[in-house]
C-alpha cells in the first residue's frame, strides 16, 4: 500500500510518466503555461545522451524537439494563445510523459515574507472569498516546499502541486497572490497561473542571487532565528533558482519588514535583486521570459498604533529607490501598491499581519494594468507633489500635486512635517506642519515651526503606522488611492521638485 501511495504522488507531480524521461518537478497536470506571444519552456532529465526529446501540445500545431545533453533537455513549445485545456505529450526513447488539463495564460511568481505567505483562510470575509475563489477554475496555483540550501538546487521541492481551486488548497494559499490573480483575470479574461514561493520572517538577501549580493553593501541581521532563514541566497538557491527556465509573465513581491533595520541598503538590494532575477529568468528561459519582465511590490504596511517614526518610513522610501513612486528612472517596468493606510491593529495574527489583503490586491492590479499590460487609461498612483511654494511671510508652504491636475480628497489635517535647516534626518522627529487650507490640487501647511530657519525638508506619513484605516490625510478623490510616503527637499524660495 505504501508503494502505491508513493507512485500515486509521483504521478501527481510529474504527470503520467513511463520510463526514465522526466519533466522538472513543477510541470504537472492542471498547470498553466505561459501564453503567446511568449513561448512556454519545458525541461527535464533523460538517461540517453544525445537522444531527441519531442513535445507536442495535442491539436496545436508542430512539435518541438531538444537533444539530451549531460542528462538534461530543454525546449520551447510553439506560442499558443488558445487557453485550452490541452494535453501535452513529451516523448523520447527513454519514455513518455503526458500532462493533462493544461491551460495557457499568464504565469506570475509571488514571493516575499509573511505578508505574502498570509493565507486566504485569514483574510477579512474569508468564507465569502474562498467560496468565490473555488468557482474560478481557470486560475491555477502551485506552491514550493519550505526548503533552504547553501548551494543552488536544480529541481524544486513541491509543497502544493498545480491544482484547480479547491477549498482545502485555496485556504492555505497566499491571499495577496490569489486575490491579485482574481481581480486581474476579470480584466484579461484568460487563465492565470500562480507560483507561490515565500517564507515568513526572511530578509531580501535570502532571496537574492550571489551576483546581487556582491553588488551591494554587506548587511548583518544578527543571530538567525530558528523559524526563518536569513543567510544570503539560501532561499534563492532552494526556492527560486530552479524556476528560472520556466517562462513567466511577471513577479509580485511583498517583503521588507525584516530589513527595516537596514533601510539605506535596501535601495541597492531591491534594485540588484530585480536586475538579477530578470537577467537570469530571461537567459534560462531561452529568451522567453522578458528581460524586463514586470515586477510589482507592496510597500510596507503599518504594524501598531504607537505613533513612532522607526525604520518603516525610510524602508518605504528605499523601496521606491528614493523617488516616492514606481515606476521611475531607477525602476523600469516596476509597479507598487501602497499599504501604509491599511492597518489592522487588532489582527488576531498580529498587527504586522493586517487582514485587508483585498485592498492590497486591488491596488496592485490597478498598477499592473497600466504598467505591466499597457492600459494607460488606468490611473494607478495616488497624488504626488510636483511643486512646493513658500509664502512671503515664511510661515506656510503650499504643496501642489500632480502638476496641478490632482483631484484631492483631504481626510484630515495631520501627517505633514517639516525639518528645519541643519536638523534633518529620516529617523528623528520633525516639526508638525498641519494642513491649514487646501484646493482641488494643493494643500497649504503651517511651516511657522521653523521660525526664521529655512524649511529644508517636507515629509508626509513619516511614521511606522501613520494613520488609521483609510484615514491618512491625502487621497485621490476619483480612485481613492492614497498619496504615498515622501521625504522631499524644499527648493530655496520654493519651486518645482526634482
Amino acid at each position: 500500500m505504501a508503494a502505491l501511495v508513493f507512485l500515486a504522488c509521483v504521478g501527481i507531480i510529474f504527470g503520467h510518466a513511463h520510463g526514465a524521461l522526466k519533466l522538472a518537478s513543477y510541470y504537472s497536470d492542471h498547470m498553466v503555461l505561459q501564453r503567446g506571444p511568449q513561448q512556454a519552456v519545458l525541461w527535464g532529465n533523460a538517461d540517453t545522451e544525445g537522444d531527441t526529446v519531442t513535445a507536442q501540445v495535442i491539436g496545436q500545431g508542430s512539435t518541438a524537439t531538444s537533444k539530451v545533453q549531460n542528462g538534461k533537455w530543454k525546449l520551447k513549445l510553439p506560442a499558443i494563445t488558445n487557453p485550452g485545456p490541452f494535453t501535452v505529450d513529451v516523448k523520447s526513447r527513454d519514455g513518455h510523459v503526458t500532462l493533462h488539463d493544461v491551460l495557457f495564460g499568464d504565469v506570475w511568481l509571488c514571493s516575499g515574507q509573511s505578508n505574502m505567505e498570509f493565507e486566504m483562510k485569514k483574510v477579512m470575509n474569508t468564507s465569502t472569498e474562498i467560496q468565490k475563489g473555488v468557482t474560478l477554475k481557470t486560475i491555477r496555483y502551485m506552491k514550493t516546499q519550505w526548503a533552504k540550501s547553501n548551494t543552488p538546487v536544480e529541481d524544486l521541492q513541491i509543497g502544493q502541486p498545480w491544482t484547480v481551486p479547491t477549498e482545502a488548497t485555496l485556504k492555505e494559499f497566499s491571499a495577496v497572490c490569489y486575490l491579485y490573480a482574481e481581480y486581474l483575470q476579470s480584466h484579461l479574461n484568460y487563465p492565470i497561473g500562480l507560483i507561490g514561493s515565500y517564507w515568513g520572517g526572511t530578509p531580501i538577501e535570502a532571496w537574492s542571487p550571489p551576483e546581487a549580493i556582491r553588488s551591494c553593501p554587506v548587511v548583518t541581521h544578527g543571530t538567525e532565528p530558528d523559524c526563518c532563514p536569513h543567510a544570503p541566497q539560501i532561499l534563492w538557491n532552494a526556492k527560486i533558482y530552479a524556476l528560472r527556465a520556466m517562462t513567466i509573465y511577471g513577479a509580485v513581491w511583498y517583503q521588507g519588514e525584516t530589513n527595516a533595520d537596514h533601510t539605506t541598503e535596501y535601495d541597492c538590494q531591491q534594485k540588484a535583486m530585480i536586475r538579477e532575477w530578470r537577467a537570469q529568468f530571461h537567459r534560462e528561459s531561452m529568451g522567453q521570459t522578458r528581460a524586463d519582465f514586470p515586477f510589482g511590490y507592496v510597500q510596507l504596511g503599518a504594524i501598531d498604533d504607537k505613533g513612532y517614526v522607526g525604520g518603516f518610513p525610510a524602508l518605504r522610501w528605499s523601496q521606491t529607490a528614493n523617488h516616492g513612486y514606481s515606476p521611475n528612472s531607477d525602476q523600469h517596468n516596476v509597479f507598487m501598491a501602497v499599504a501604509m493606510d491599511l492597518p489592522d491593529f487588532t489582527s488576531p495574527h498580529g498587527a504586522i499581519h493586517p487582514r485587508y489583503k483585498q485592498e492590497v490586491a486591488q491596488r496592485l492590479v490597478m498598477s499592473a494594468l497600466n504598467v505591466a499590460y499597457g492600459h494607460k487609461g488606468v490611473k494607478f498612483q495616488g497624488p504626488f507633489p510636483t511643486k512646493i511654494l513658500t509664502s512671503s511671510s515664511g510661515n506656510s508652504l503650499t504643496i501642489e500635486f500632480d502638476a496641478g491636475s490632482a483631484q484631492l480628497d483631504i481626510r484630515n489635517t495631520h501627517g505633514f512635517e517639516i525639518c528645519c535647516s541643519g536638523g534633518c534626518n529620516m529617523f528623528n522627529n520633525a516639526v508638525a506642519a498641519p494642513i491649514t487650507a487646501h484646493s482641488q490640487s494643493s494643500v497649504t501647511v503651517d511651516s511657522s515651526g521653523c521660525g526664521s530657519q529655512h524649511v529644508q525638508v517636507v515629509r508626509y506619513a513619516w511614521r511606522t503606522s501613520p494613520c488609521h484605516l483609510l484615514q491618512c490625510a491625502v487621497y485621490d478623490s476619483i480612485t481613492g488611492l492614497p498619496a504615498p510616503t515622501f521625504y522631499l527637499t524644499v527648493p530655496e524660495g520654493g519651486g518645482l521638485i526634482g
Side-chain angles (χ1 to χ4, degrees):
M1 179 62 73
L4 290 175
V5 172
F6 172 77
L7 290 172
C9 291
V10 171
I12 290 170
I13 294 174
F14 291 108
H16 298 274
H18 305 279
L21 176 70
K22 290 184 173 63
L23 283 163
S25 62
Y26 49 79
Y27 297 105
S28 72
D29 295 346
H30 313 302
M31 76 177 303
V32 177
L33 290 171
Q34 179 57 44
R35 74 193 299 268
Q38 294 165 268
Q39 294 175 255
V41 172
L42 300 181
W43 72 275
N45 303 98
D47 287 346
T48 305
E49 196 69 11
D51 192 16
T52 298
V53 178
T54 302
Q56 183 175 25
V57 181
I58 302 301
Q60 291 296 301
S62 61
T63 60
T65 62
S66 172
K67 294 288 187 182
V68 178
Q69 296 181 344
N70 300 317
K72 299 178 182 178
W73 57 271
K74 181 162 54 175
L75 55 80
K76 295 183 288 186
L77 295 173
I80 295 173
T81 55
N82 188 330
F86 295 111
T87 297
V88 179
D89 264 350
V90 184
K91 300 177 181 179
S92 77
R93 282 187 292 176
D94 285 333
H96 177 200
V97 182
T98 304
L99 301 178
H100 297 283
D101 187 33
V102 174
L103 303 180
F104 282 80
D106 283 346
V107 179
W108 284 86
L109 169 61
C110 299
S111 189
Q113 58 180 108
S114 57
N115 272 303
M116 181 60 84
E117 181 182 334
F118 192 91
E119 301 96 333
M120 284 286 288
K121 66 185 179 184
K122 297 176 180 177
V123 299
M124 292 291 189
N125 303 314
T126 181
S127 296
T128 300
E129 296 292 357
I130 291 174
Q131 287 170 12
K132 180 180 180 181
V134 298
T135 69
L136 303 174
K137 299 303 184 182
T138 58
I139 298 176
R140 311 284 178 84
Y141 46 88
M142 62 154 284
K143 188 166 60 175
T144 65
Q145 185 58 278
W146 311 116
K148 56 185 178 179
S149 176
N150 291 322
T151 58
V153 175
E154 291 292 335
D155 206 4
L156 280 177
Q157 295 182 44
I158 304 300
Q160 168 62 58
W162 284 99
T163 182
V164 297
T166 66
E167 183 174 349
T169 60
L170 184 55
K171 69 181 184 180
E172 302 297 336
F173 194 72
S174 163
V176 166
C177 189
Y178 188 82
L179 292 168
Y180 171 74
E182 178 183 316
Y183 304 153
L184 182 60
Q185 191 183 58
S186 69
H187 298 274
L188 301 181
N189 297 313
Y190 54 71
I192 296 178
L194 302 171
I195 303 169
S197 193
Y198 34 75
W199 194 324
T202 54
I204 193 171
E205 298 93 320
W207 298 97
S208 299
E211 297 86 349
I213 297 295
R214 289 194 295 267
S215 66
C216 295
V218 175
V219 171
T220 302
H221 292 282
T223 303
E224 179 177 291
D226 293 336
C227 66
C228 320
H230 278 195
Q233 72 195 62
I234 197 166
L235 298 179
W236 160 262
N237 288 338
K239 292 168 71 69
I240 302 294
Y241 180 86
L243 290 166
R244 300 173 305 157
M246 188 177 190
T247 311
I248 65 171
Y249 192 88
V252 178
W253 176 249
Y254 197 164
Q255 192 278 334
E257 295 91 343
T258 303
N259 287 85
D261 54 346
H262 294 280
T263 61
T264 304
E265 295 85 353
Y266 198 86
D267 172 20
C268 177
Q269 291 173 317
Q270 181 172 267
K271 285 189 291 189
M273 188 192 77
I274 294 171
R275 181 185 68 242
E276 290 301 326
W277 279 27
R278 283 173 166 172
Q280 296 198 36
F281 273 77
H282 178 68
R283 182 182 68 242
E284 297 302 318
S285 68
M286 300 156 62
Q288 293 310 300
T289 296
R290 288 170 49 182
D292 65 343
F293 69 73
F295 188 97
Y297 68 93
V298 182
Q299 203 177 38
L300 281 189
I303 62 171
D304 57 39
D305 197 18
K306 297 180 180 178
Y308 57 90
V309 174
F312 272 38
L315 196 286
R316 293 183 188 118
W317 187 243
S318 284
Q319 286 179 300
T320 69
N322 304 323
H323 289 264
Y325 52 86
S326 299
N328 55 60
S329 58
D330 293 309
Q331 293 181 328
H332 170 67
N333 220 19
V334 174
F335 58 94
M336 174 181 81
V338 174
M340 66 178 182
D341 66 326
L342 301 171
D344 186 8
F345 299 132
T346 61
S347 170
H349 315 291
I352 199 169
H353 300 129
R355 291 167 287 176
Y356 300 106
K357 303 306 187 195
Q358 294 92 334
E359 290 81 359
V360 171
Q362 287 165 353
R363 292 174 182 182
L364 275 172
V365 167
M366 293 171 73
S367 294
L369 287 172
N370 186 294
V371 177
Y373 288 96
H375 297 189
K376 296 306 180 185
V378 176
K379 190 171 184 181
F380 67 101
Q381 294 172 315
F384 197 80
T386 49
K387 184 189 293 186
I388 301 177
L389 300 175
T390 305
S391 67
S392 57
S393 67
N395 289 327
S396 66
L397 298 174
T398 296
I399 303 167
E400 182 184 79
F401 290 81
D402 300 340
S405 67
Q407 295 176 285
L408 301 181
D409 174 14
I410 305 302
R411 299 185 183 180
N412 67 64
T413 61
H414 310 296
F416 287 89
E417 297 174 299
I418 53 176
C419 295
C420 312
S421 296
C424 291
N425 72 64
M426 292 191 175
F427 304 100
N428 64 0
N429 290 319
V431 179
I435 296 172
T436 58
H438 65 87
S439 69
Q440 178 177 287
S441 61
S442 67
V443 299
T444 298
V445 301
D446 181 358
S447 62
S448 63
C450 279
S452 60
Q453 292 180 298
H454 168 63
V455 177
Q456 184 176 346
V457 167
V458 60
R459 68 190 195 188
Y460 171 71
W462 206 259
R463 289 289 185 275
T464 290
S465 304
C467 61
H468 284 197
L469 181 64
L470 298 173
Q471 290 300 314
C472 283
V474 180
Y475 289 80
D476 184 288
S477 65
I478 305 301
T479 65
L481 291 172
T485 295
F486 57 77
Y487 185 96
L488 300 173
T489 300
V490 178
E492 285 280 355
L496 298 174
I497 298 168

